Amino acid sequence: MKVERRVISVIVQNEHSVLARITSLFAARGYNIETLTVAPIPESDMSRLTIETKGNVRVIEQIIKQLHKLIPTYKVIEHEEMVEKEMVMMKFPINESLANIQALCEAYNGGIANVSSQHIITMVADEPKRVKHFIEAAQRFHPVEIVRGGVVAMERE
Amino acid sequence: MEMTGAQMVIEAMKLEGVDTVFGYPGGAIMNVYDEIYKQNDFRHILTRHEQAAVHAADGYARATGKVGVAFVTSGPGFTNAVTGLATAYMDSVPMVVISGQVPITMIGTDAFQEIDATGISRSCTKHNYLVRSAKELPHILKEAFYIAASGRPGPVHVDIPKDVTAELAKFEYPTHIDLPTYRPTTKGNVRQIKKAAEAICNAKRPVFYLGGGVISSGSADLVREFVQATQIPAVETLMARGSLRHDDPLLLGMVGMHGSYQANMAMSEADLMIALGPRFDDRVTGKLSEFAKHAKVIHVDIDPSSIGKLVDVDYPIVGDLKEVLEVMLPKVKECVDPDRYQAWRNILKRYNEIHPMRFEDSDEVIKPQWVIKRVGEILGDKAIISTDVGQHQMWTAQFYPFSHPRQLVTSGGLGTMGFGFPAAMGVKRGVPDKVSVNFTGDGSILMNIQELVTAVEARLPVVNIILNNHYLGMVRQWQTFFYDKRYAETDLSFQPDFVRLAEACGGVGYRVETKEEFDEALEDAVNKGVVAMIDVIVDREENVLPMVPSGGTLYNMMLEYKD
Ligand SMILES: Cc1ncc(C[n+]2csc(CCOP(=O)(O)OP(=O)(O)O)c2C)c(N)n1
Ligand SMILES: [Mg+2]
């Protein structure tokens, strides 16, 4: 069976050790977590997790059902038609071309986040695939550090 | 009303109608035990090991259908209980296990007898809680009982820090629970049910594949009616034994690794499998790609994650089996013609004639299967049967004449040696007017032998029947078949004197080497009304047959073993 990439959002009761329940479910059943983001949903007692995972159809179906089965899980959204974004921060030495770096970041929906006496820090938020391209393109400016934020997603409608 | 956390625990037991708690005290749970001392609403049974407390609660739950309850202390008390939780989890048994924990103020400091109990139980419970204040305790306890018993049942673990059991708070026990995040689907999709009913009426070679869900949902009566009305043959998993009566001509026997030939052939040749609450365990299916490969599949289960987990399902129906059958049965009755399956029934009958479930009896040595059949003849449905794990367990499943649901209590999913005896104590407590028999092995019985003391003290006269082959027989069998008889660490020739062992604890013991001795021993043991140990010396080399070797196919059974 073909292995595919999936993005799943999980809305959970915001309670003690709920994140551990989810990550240990993935660990125990041998499922993949590529990226994971979590934050409380404003004005509610719920949190939203976005999980980027990989597996064949049967595995993905099991992941969704098993997530559902957890008592604190309110809703599992298996994204079909989604807008997804990932953020990435990169740090470059100050002697690299600020203008070129800035131009590159802008092409990827980002910009310069900070400049100190030693380093330039950039920030880009774009589709995961484009973030990957950005990171590749940025290699020629000799980045010293890269921090990716994990995928977040929203259904289009 | 204000009360301490410990008092709340007692009060909750009362409100949940708990009549028995199995347990073992210790530092972190002493406040609760102090309240147990002061009350008279339920009976606490002190087992001699926490594992046994949880198995006893489990046996009680399996035999009665009620939620079993066990209390243990923190640290080693809890870790001893883990095998019990895992056993219940694998077999979907409703249970609430309460453990003490070090005070909240000390959690995370590696305090004396501190262990991350909820971290450990997370993967072997349906749900668990670490209670943070007495205020939330009533709600958590109510939820624990509700979650344990609803949907697909399972054990729930509540870990209560010692300071919470001393803390005062208002006690308001919720009358009902409404969890927006937990709403098991009980009503099946009517369109699917209708389609499934049509598939049944249009099939030529349908077979019922009955699983543990038939028992836990209380659907056995409906299933019997269904089978009767359609005249469709049925196979049972280990967990479903007793769904149909043993003498029902439509019952093909147990399916799977040690199932009957006709049951496994029925699965292999069926064109429609009507799976009611099973979970397609590998001990049933054998090689998945060959399992029932000509059959369209109807699968009814309360747990959506069970459906389509291992095999593709054509008619998935999520719901409580009983509710689904109540809708499905009338629809099937409208269209079914039982004669339609006559040819199919004839084929299966023929299979059974060629290879019936049988054993070769002997006059020289007692055959283990004979013992089981004999107990069936003498006690029949006057007994509830527990087992340990091994050959004796499979022979029990093959040869005991079960006639009603909840008559077999056995660790199917986890296969826990040491389960049988404490479980049989729980059975006796839950169903006192039946004889509680535990078929066990000379290996397994030693894994909770200390419970002899509990059973005598608490007056739980379990009849333990050791099918003593002086081997870890099931492992020995695999060594015989697949390891060229290299009997690595399975010879149990060195044994305790089981008779004196029983007597030392205040029970009765019998050593049996002939059939006559067995009949006498059984009669005496049942009449004595004290825990008994019948040590039956059986044929050492007997194998459990037929057998589907691990990963093999159901239609390719090993029917006999030739040396
Ligand atoms: C706690 C535990 N340890 C090990 C096993 C593996 N095991 C399965 S059957 C068996 C042999 C059981 O021997 P006995 O109780 O004498 O039963 P017999 O097979 O001889 O009837 C063993 C060791 C197990 N199921 N459970
Ligand atoms: Mg043995």
Side-chain angles (χ1 to χ4, degrees):
Chain A
M1 269 184 268
K2 206 176 102 230
V3 171
E4 54 186 278
R5 168 186 181 272
R6 277 330 260 283
V7 178
I8 297 165
S9 290
V10 195
I11 316 292
V12 294
Q13 196 81 38
N14 198 355
E15 62 184 36
H16 172 71
S17 78
V18 62
L19 182 58
R21 279 185 212 284
I22 291 184
T23 51
S24 56
L25 167 72
F26 274 73
R29 294 191 179 262
Y31 305 147
N32 252 301
I33 297 182
E34 300 285 319
T35 69
L36 170 67
T37 64
V38 200
I41 297 174
E43 284 161 41
S44 83
D45 54 357
M46 302 275 178
S47 276
R48 182 187 187 101
L49 288 89
T50 313
I51 303 170
E52 184 191 0
T53 184
K54 272 188 184 150
N56 64 37
V57 197
R58 177 163 283 161
V59 168
I60 300 285
E61 191 186 319
Q62 267 300 305
I63 290 176
I64 288 161
K65 287 176 167 176
Q66 293 291 346
L67 283 168
H68 245 299
K69 201 165 143 177
L70 294 173
I71 308 288
T73 302
Y74 178 64
K75 201 167 163 191
V76 183
I77 306 159
E78 185 187 2
H79 290 295
E80 305 278 350
E81 284 286 302
M82 64 183 160
V83 177
E84 50 173 331
K85 294 285 175 199
E86 180 173 358
M87 188 183 127
V88 61
M89 290 168 78
M90 284 179 96
K91 190 186 273 175
F92 301 94
I94 193 75
N95 56 2
E96 296 291 336
S97 161
L98 185 61
N100 287 353
I101 291 175
Q102 176 150 21
L104 178 67
C105 292
E106 279 167 5
Y108 284 95
N109 204 12
I112 306 292
N114 194 59
V115 181
S116 68
S117 60
Q118 306 275 327
H119 293 114
I120 304 163
I121 294 178
T122 63
M123 189 209 82
V124 156
D126 211 327
E127 274 143 42
K129 208 181 271 161
R130 285 183 44 84
V131 165
K132 214 174 118 223
H133 293 157
F134 166 74
I135 293 169
E136 277 162 22
Q139 290 308 314
R140 69 187 134 114
F141 302 113
H142 309 101
V144 292
E145 202 180 338
I146 306 177
V147 177
R148 294 179 69 161
V151 174
V152 290
M154 222 180 227
E155 277 299 281
R156 235 179 259 280
E157 298 310 325
Chain B
M1 195 175 46
E2 280 233 324
M3 58 175 81
T4 66
Q7 287 166 333
M8 290 179 183
V9 171
I10 306 301
E11 210 52 36
M13 295 307 124
K14 191 159 124 188
L15 293 169
E16 293 294 338
V18 172
D19 64 7
T20 311
V21 172
F22 299 90
Y24 208 101
I29 200 166
M30 278 184 70
N31 290 332
V32 174
Y33 272 79
D34 195 43
E35 295 303 327
I36 292 179
Y37 188 85
K38 299 176 196 161
Q39 61 87 42
N40 251 327
D41 296 310
F42 62 83
R43 178 173 171 205
H44 180 278
I45 293 179
L46 177 72
T47 56
R48 295 308 194 262
H49 192 298
E50 289 88 351
Q51 183 189 350
V54 183
H55 287 331
D58 181 325
Y60 175 95
R62 291 188 206 224
T64 62
K66 293 194 272 183
V67 178
V69 183
F71 291 179
V72 299
T73 192
S74 69
F78 170 74
T79 53
N80 273 348
V82 171
T83 302
L85 284 171
T87 303
Y89 181 61
M90 289 294 278
D91 288 343
S92 308
V93 178
M95 210 156 73
V96 171
V97 172
I98 294 179
S99 57
Q101 180 55 282
V102 302
I104 287 184
T105 50
M106 295 178 78
I107 286 180
T109 66
D110 301 311
F112 178 63
Q113 296 192 329
E114 178 184 358
I115 195 77
D116 174 14
T118 48
I120 292 173
S121 69
R122 192 175 299 134
S123 53
C124 57
T125 51
K126 181 170 174 185
H127 197 48
N128 63 13
Y129 301 86
L130 172 58
V131 185
R132 323 225 120 215
S133 70
K135 192 171 76 221
E136 59 182 47
L137 194 49
H139 201 270
I140 286 179
L141 289 169
K142 178 78 190 175
E143 242 176 64
F145 276 88
Y146 171 69
I147 289 173
S150 56
R152 177 177 182 172
V156 177
H157 167 218
V158 184
D159 198 31
I160 314 181
K162 187 164 185 178
D163 45 359
V164 172
T165 60
E167 192 192 341
L168 279 168
K170 210 160 120 200
F171 181 79
E172 257 173 287
Y173 204 64
T175 47
H176 81 291
I177 289 287
D178 180 32
L179 291 170
T181 62
Y182 173 70
R183 298 219 167 100
T185 313
T186 57
K187 263 199 179 48
N189 179 304
V190 178
R191 280 230 323 268
Q192 276 299 350
I193 295 178
K194 222 171 125 194
K195 282 206 280 191
E198 281 163 20
I200 293 171
C201 293
N202 292 328
K204 288 206 176 90
R205 299 186 307 278
V207 63
F208 284 105
Y209 166 27
L210 308 177
V214 174
I215 312 282
S216 56
S217 64
S219 307
D221 285 342
L222 273 169
V223 168
R224 287 176 185 204
E225 193 185 332
F226 205 157
V227 169
Q228 201 48 44
T230 57
Q231 294 289 303
I232 293 173
V235 305
E236 289 176 349
T237 65
L238 175 65
M239 302 314 292
R241 291 308 253 161
S243 298
L244 300 185
R245 278 189 60 90
H246 65 96
D247 50 7
D248 188 326
L250 290 163
L251 175 60
L252 305 172
M254 186 166 71
V255 63
M257 182 173 275
H258 293 297
S260 69
Y261 182 72
Q262 58 169 348
N264 286 349
M265 288 310 286
M267 293 299 257
S268 304
E269 296 187 351
D271 67 353
L272 180 71
M273 179 205 292
I274 311 159
L276 307 180
R279 59 183 185 84
F280 296 77
D281 186 272
D282 51 272
R283 285 296 191 262
V284 164
T285 63
K287 191 176 175 185
L288 267 177
S289 56
E290 292 295 307
F291 176 64
K293 74 170 172 186
H294 307 295
K296 289 250 185 283
V297 179
I298 298 171
H299 187 182
V300 187
D301 207 291
I302 185 85
D303 179 359
S305 74
S306 235
I307 299 181
K309 180 174 68 172
L310 295 156
V311 304
D312 293 329
V313 175
D314 304 278
Y315 307 92
I317 300 171
V318 177
D320 175 68
L321 184 54
K322 201 168 174 182
E323 291 189 29
V324 171
L325 290 180
E326 273 161 5
V327 181
M328 194 190 285
L329 185 50
K331 293 207 190 323
V332 172
K333 277 183 176 168
E334 275 171 32
C335 63
V336 77
D337 170 17
D339 290 341
R340 188 183 166 81
Y341 319 121
Q342 186 59 45
W344 169 233
R345 286 190 298 265
N346 290 346
I347 295 173
L348 297 174
K349 203 167 149 210
R350 186 82 194 100
Y351 283 139
N352 195 45
E353 282 159 11
I354 309 172
H355 299 298
M357 183 57 82
R358 57 182 285 277
F359 67 97
E360 197 102 13
D361 205 2
S362 158
D363 292 329
E364 271 113 63
V365 53
I366 299 185
K367 291 285 183 173
Q369 301 94 323
W370 176 86
V371 180
I372 290 156
K373 271 191 74 176
R374 190 72 190 135
V375 176
E377 283 159 17
I378 295 172
L379 296 177
D381 57 13
K382 287 203 279 292
I384 294 181
I385 306 297
S386 304
T387 81
D388 264 301
V389 172
Q391 292 183 306
H392 62 273
Q393 176 188 33
M394 289 299 108
W395 285 318
T396 304
Q398 289 177 332
F399 291 100
Y400 197 86
F402 296 103
S403 56
H404 62 84
R406 303 193 180 283
Q407 199 183 0
L408 173 64
V409 171
T410 192
S411 166
L414 200 67
T416 309
M417 287 171 69
F419 171 80
F421 183 16
M425 298 196 308
V427 168
K428 187 67 197 174
R429 174 63 186 158
V431 193
D433 52 337
K434 295 265 175 150
V435 183
S436 179
V437 171
N438 173 36
F439 283 114
T440 180
D442 45 317
S444 297
I445 189 65
L446 289 178
M447 286 207 179
N448 266 315
I449 193 71
Q450 75 288 341
E451 295 311 310
L452 277 169
V453 183
T454 312
V456 172
E457 185 193 47
R459 299 210 171 79
L460 299 170
V462 172
V463 180
N464 290 291
I465 302 176
I466 307 176
L467 299 177
N468 192 341
N469 50 14
H470 293 78
Y471 273 131
L472 294 173
M474 187 55 98
V475 183
R476 192 279 305 151
Q477 175 171 336
W478 283 48
Q479 289 169 333
T480 306
F481 290 1
F482 314 120
Y483 290 86
D484 279 335
K485 300 196 179 173
R486 289 186 300 277
Y487 293 152
E489 306 299 318
T490 46
D491 190 320
L492 297 184
S493 293
F494 182 78
Q495 297 204 330
D497 180 334
F498 286 112
V499 176
R500 282 164 62 202
L501 194 51
E503 287 168 359
C505 301
V508 290
Y510 312 81
R511 186 180 164 91
V512 165
E513 294 186 47
T514 66
K515 292 178 175 175
E516 294 69 38
E517 283 172 3
F518 180 75
D519 283 4
E520 282 165 29
L522 182 63
E523 195 188 339
D524 198 57
V526 171
N527 291 338
K528 278 248 164 58
V530 59
V531 65
M533 194 83 102
I534 308 182
D535 182 17
V536 190
I537 310 305
V538 297
D539 187 351
R540 284 200 91 186
E541 310 297 337
E542 191 69 19
N543 294 313
V544 183
L545 289 168
M547 175 172 188
V548 179
S550 190
T553 58
L554 291 191
Y555 53 82
N556 206 354
M557 297 190 86
M558 189 185 209
L559 293 156
E560 53 180 358
Y561 170 73
K562 283 224 177 67
D563 218 343

